[in-house]
Amino acid sequence: MSALLTKEQLENFALQGKAYADDHVGDPFNIKDVSERLGISYSYFYHNFVDQMGEPFWHYVKRHRLELAAGLLRHSGYNISEISDYCGYSTTAAFSKAFKLHFKESPKDFRRIIILPNERRTLQITEGITIALGSEVFRGLFNYDRCEKVRLQDNILYYSLISRGKDPVGEMIARMTQHYTLFKRMQTLYDIPQSQIITGTLDAVPVTDYEKLSMFAGILVPISATSIHLQLQQNFPYLMMKRVAGGNYLKLPVPMDFATAGIPMYNFISMNCKEGVFKMSGNHFFISLNGPSYSEIFIPLLKKHY
């Protein structure tokens, strides 16, 4: 591997590793699979990931899987065995042991906790950043009666992490315009049917440390648009990719920008999941950006709640 790689290229290797881990949460894989996918040596990938991300790759993989599992315990209707399988554990016993070591609570006991410390802290920090945007004024719009039940195709998300570490939500707000402009240009240039420009987080808001949240912006493209995918992968190799399952979703239109929508969206999801109004089929809720002051919230639903 050449020593002349730029800082951006080195960071991209690490980010592509994170993307691979996130896209294969429930799949068996090892570091060699990732390094070969990136065309670099095992050793180079291992050491570069630590340098860029501040933790070993496999430590990140385990933490990410357990945090996503915690999010599913919080908001999904899956039982513990299903969550174990969803997050890549071969047995429920292995999952329960790993979960208790990480969170100091069994999955069953964790599910009973009303408010989690990281959840409270993340919401307080985010609300402090966005309160000036007027989120309180719009809370009444986050009403289940305003939701529409829709079906989405299976999609592939092409995305960039627009912030990670230190102040992810603040950075996300500051940098969104440039990323939105890029994806809007792609949408127009390739005339991508039924695509959406979206934003969200790859992490589990209830448990991931605020400083470790990875916020993304990207373009969601139906998997059936084969020729478009070939062009995007050829012309934008630096973008990360993630499969996003289609199926049953709640769609909630709100006349506000993504930053203003964030806190009331999460509170809406959390309240309705706790009260059993609906349960989610995964952690992949997102905000679709339809203009400077109009957004649509998409929440994946379990089939029985559709």
Side-chain angles (χ1 to χ4, degrees):
M1 179 61 61
S2 170
L4 299 178
L5 291 175
T6 66
K7 179 181 177 181
E8 290 74 19
Q9 289 172 316
L10 292 172
E11 183 181 50
N12 190 253
F13 276 135
L15 292 177
Q16 292 289 352
K18 288 187 72 170
Y20 187 97
D22 189 72
D23 194 36
H24 293 80
V25 168
D27 304 328
F29 67 89
N30 55 47
I31 297 178
K32 188 177 179 181
D33 295 327
V34 185
S35 63
E36 288 182 348
R37 173 79 171 267
L38 297 176
I40 58 179
S41 71
Y42 174 104
S43 177
Y44 194 94
F45 174 74
Y46 178 90
H47 292 291
N48 182 62
F49 192 91
V50 174
D51 290 344
Q52 299 296 324
M53 300 298 161
E55 63 181 325
F57 178 69
W58 209 248
H59 183 276
Y60 167 76
V61 171
K62 291 179 179 179
R63 175 175 65 80
H64 187 59
R65 286 178 169 178
L66 289 170
E67 289 176 350
L68 291 180
L72 292 172
L73 287 168
R74 192 70 163 167
H75 295 135
S76 83
Y78 297 131
N79 61 42
I80 293 171
S81 176
E82 290 170 323
I83 292 172
S84 167
D85 184 63
Y86 188 101
C87 294
Y89 283 84
S90 56
T91 67
T92 304
F95 166 67
S96 296
K97 180 179 179 180
F99 191 93
K100 188 164 186 177
L101 279 172
H102 189 79
F103 288 107
K104 314 305 180 188
E105 299 278 357
S106 70
K108 184 177 179 180
D109 291 339
F110 183 91
R111 204 162 213 171
R112 297 189 181 118
I113 299 173
I114 303 300
I115 295 291
L116 298 164
N118 265 9
E119 183 176 33
R120 179 185 290 110
R121 179 171 179 267
T122 293
L123 294 177
Q124 286 175 342
I125 293 172
T126 304
E127 192 160 36
I129 295 169
T130 62
I131 194 67
L133 301 173
S135 58
E136 287 288 341
V137 175
F138 296 108
R139 285 187 189 275
L141 295 173
F142 287 79
N143 187 308
Y144 183 76
D145 292 336
R146 296 189 65 251
C147 293
E148 176 187 358
K149 293 178 178 179
V150 298
R151 284 191 62 83
L152 298 185
Q153 301 180 50
D154 289 340
N155 289 273
I156 294 179
L157 173 65
Y158 296 87
Y159 68 97
S160 294
L161 291 184
I162 58 177
S163 60
R164 57 178 184 82
K166 296 184 179 178
D167 183 18
V169 173
E171 291 177 15
M172 179 189 190
I173 293 170
R175 299 175 182 174
M176 180 61 79
T177 299
Q178 68 186 79
H179 289 274
Y180 178 82
T181 300
L182 167 66
F183 292 115
K184 191 67 177 177
R185 189 182 304 126
M186 289 169 58
Q187 201 174 40
T188 302
L189 179 62
Y190 294 97
D191 188 25
I192 308 175
Q194 297 180 289
S195 64
Q196 298 183 70
I197 299 173
I198 72 170
T199 189
T201 180
L202 298 181
D203 300 298
V205 172
V207 293
T208 303
D209 290 344
Y210 174 77
E211 290 79 8
K212 292 183 178 179
L213 289 173
S214 296
M215 316 305 292
F216 72 83
I219 185 166
L220 199 63
V221 182
I223 203 167
S224 57
T226 308
S227 62
I228 298 296
H229 292 295
L230 292 174
Q231 294 180 70
L232 294 180
Q233 290 166 30
Q234 180 179 1
N235 295 320
F236 300 93
Y238 59 87
L239 291 177
M240 289 164 276
M241 294 169 55
K242 175 181 173 65
R243 295 164 292 179
V244 178
N248 305 320
Y249 282 73
L250 276 184
K251 182 177 79 170
L252 176 61
V254 287
M256 64 189 76
D257 64 89
F258 74 94
T260 309
I263 288 290
M265 172 189 69
Y266 183 80
N267 288 333
F268 171 77
I269 290 171
S270 188
M271 178 188 70
N272 281 282
C273 286
K274 286 176 184 176
E275 294 178 357
V277 177
F278 60 77
K279 293 288 185 179
M280 298 204 302
S281 62
N283 292 303
H284 51 288
F285 55 90
F286 59 85
I287 301 175
S288 180
L289 309 179
N290 298 81
S293 58
Y294 181 78
S295 305
E296 291 177 338
I297 313 299
F298 285 84
I299 303 166
L301 290 182
L302 281 182
K303 187 174 182 179
K304 65 181 181 180
H305 290 274
Y306 188 71

